[in-house]
Amino acid sequence: MNPLKGPAKRLTVFVGEDDRWHHKPVYAEIVHRARDAGLAGATVVRGIEGYGASRHLHTGRFLSLSEDLPLSIVIVDSAERIEAFLPQLDELVTEGLVIVEDVEVVRYVGRAAQDCADGPGA
């Protein structure tokens, strides 16, 4: 486990749900690469409506022409680990926004190894 407490960085990547990298969703590739890089964790959040640099509105409202909903991938870890991960985003994020912010980690606790091995609801 990656112990994390105190000053850290939050990396947030904004992409579209339909964005692809080698026929795979960009958000999934980012999460898998973050895990492979040993980052503390990653979460994908699906938005209900939004727009970006193209100013094209993406919405999930009924009868909308767009279903390419906005997503954000949030990763928190040490400044060094976040900085080391950023070059991977250069090839993955061809449309979107990448931001890095200072944060303070107050608590970061995972499940015990046995709980994870038993699966959900164990």
Side-chain angles (χ1 to χ4, degrees):
M1 166 137 357
N2 178 6
L4 186 61
K5 189 165 181 155
K9 295 286 186 180
R10 175 176 47 218
L11 167 64
T12 307
V13 182
F14 298 91
V15 295
E17 187 174 31
D18 290 344
D19 292 353
R20 296 283 183 260
W21 185 84
H22 293 261
H23 307 291
K24 294 168 46 177
V26 166
Y27 68 87
E29 185 66 20
I30 292 171
V31 169
H32 288 110
R33 287 189 185 198
R35 186 171 188 237
D36 291 346
L39 296 176
T43 299
V44 178
V45 180
R46 187 178 193 212
I48 59 171
E49 188 167 84
Y51 70 91
S54 69
R55 314 243 344 131
H56 178 78
L57 188 63
H58 301 271
T59 180
R61 287 184 282 162
F62 185 68
L63 298 178
S64 171
L65 297 176
S66 173
E67 301 235 354
D68 181 21
L69 294 175
L71 300 177
S72 58
I73 303 100
V74 181
I75 302 168
V76 176
D77 209 315
S78 69
E80 297 79 21
R81 287 177 172 267
I82 293 294
E83 290 297 323
F85 186 71
L86 288 175
Q88 294 202 45
L89 299 177
D90 290 340
E91 77 175 301
L92 296 175
V93 181
T94 57
E95 293 181 39
L97 174 66
V98 177
I99 62 173
V100 177
E101 303 167 282
D102 292 326
V103 296
E104 182 80 16
V105 174
V106 176
R107 183 175 166 94
Y108 174 64
V109 181
R111 282 190 207 155
Q114 182 59 41
D115 289 345
C116 290
D118 290 340

